Amino acid sequence: MYDPISTQYTFPCPTRGEARIRLHDFRELERLPGAAHPAVFRVRYACACGEDHLGLVAHDELDWAPLGLGGGDFLNLMTDRLEPVEGEFGDLAARRIGAGEWPWSFFCYPEERARPVFPSMFWLLAPGGRGGTVGVAVRCPACQRLSVNIVSPEHVDLPFHNDSAVGVVEHLFREDTERAIAEFHDELYSAAFDVRRLSLQ
Ligand SMILES: [Zn+2]
Ligand SMILES: [Zn+2]
């Protein structure tokens, strides 16, 4: 379903049959209760036909497939350990992670620091920022709180392509899901964000 060369997912489209979707075309990700090995996410994605559709994507397709890793691999954010590694992409990804590079990162506003992250921790995405930027609401793997960053589409789509600086919405989001969604859209189009350097060092 994910092609690491074109960095696109293939999803169904009711009018065109098939849609090629990049990560930044996702609009909302929700982990479904129940399935755990692997976890399954319901994804709402913006299709080229002009409509949003719903699709299902497994955790490994979301986080590991862009790194060229097959199912069953595990990257532990606490120990920085990745094993086992499969294929050329996976080997390269493992070496870069071993050298301290992270495939995805974001700026955690409540903690005032950059953090590594995986696509499964993205929650809401919205296009339409200045210069083609994308707003991303991220659930921090360390503090569990929400932050909204304004980033380039490549920052989302391409592993190891981290913007050197990102826009950070200066807002502490509520835990209530519906309110947080409303706040995400309100805050994104207000000018109340600041630019922070995205360095994990
Ligand atoms: Zn469609
Ligand atoms: Zn945090």
Side-chain angles (χ1 to χ4, degrees):
M1 187 163 87
Y2 183 84
D3 174 11
I5 307 294
S6 67
T7 66
Q8 289 173 324
Y9 290 87
T10 305
F11 276 112
C13 167
T15 49
R16 299 185 171 193
E18 208 173 79
R20 304 292 221 147
I21 302 296
R22 290 176 193 270
L23 269 170
H24 84 265
D25 297 319
F26 288 2
R27 293 291 168 263
E28 186 171 356
L29 290 87
E30 184 192 2
R31 186 182 168 146
L32 296 178
H37 299 293
V40 175
F41 290 76
R42 179 164 51 214
V43 174
R44 183 162 59 80
Y45 52 93
C47 181
C49 76
E51 304 217 349
D52 285 4
H53 310 305
L54 292 174
L56 295 177
V57 56
H59 184 223
D60 52 350
E61 283 284 312
L62 210 48
D63 288 356
W64 313 140
L67 300 174
L69 300 173
D73 295 298
F74 177 65
L75 178 54
N76 189 325
L77 280 175
M78 297 300 145
T79 63
D80 293 2
R81 238 184 246 190
L82 176 67
E83 43 188 37
V85 174
E86 287 172 3
E88 248 176 78
F89 276 100
D91 194 37
L92 183 62
R95 271 186 273 133
R96 296 182 76 166
I97 291 166
E101 273 190 81
W102 280 94
W104 291 274
S105 59
F106 80 110
F107 194 90
C108 177
Y109 177 63
E111 294 186 284
E112 274 290 333
R113 57 168 294 180
R115 286 273 187 199
V117 74
F118 281 100
S120 60
M121 293 152 198
F122 299 161
W123 177 34
L124 302 168
L125 295 96
R130 241 176 275 160
T133 51
V134 182
V136 190
V138 182
R139 175 78 62 189
C140 179
C143 74
Q144 306 298 317
R145 284 176 292 179
L146 272 181
S147 291
V148 174
N149 285 186
I150 317 283
V151 301
S152 71
E154 293 77 21
H155 178 86
V156 174
D157 294 340
L158 306 176
F160 301 106
H161 180 112
N162 290 296
D163 292 350
S164 55
V166 300
V168 179
V169 172
E170 299 184 302
H171 181 79
L172 289 168
F173 287 83
R174 297 169 211 246
E175 284 308 307
D176 179 274
T177 302
E178 278 181 29
R179 273 175 188 250
I181 292 174
E183 288 177 357
F184 170 70
H185 292 288
D186 289 349
E187 294 293 330
L188 206 51
Y189 299 109
S190 78
F193 63 84
D194 198 9
V195 174
R196 307 291 163 93
R197 289 197 58 76
L198 198 55
S199 169
L200 291 169
Q201 262 75 52

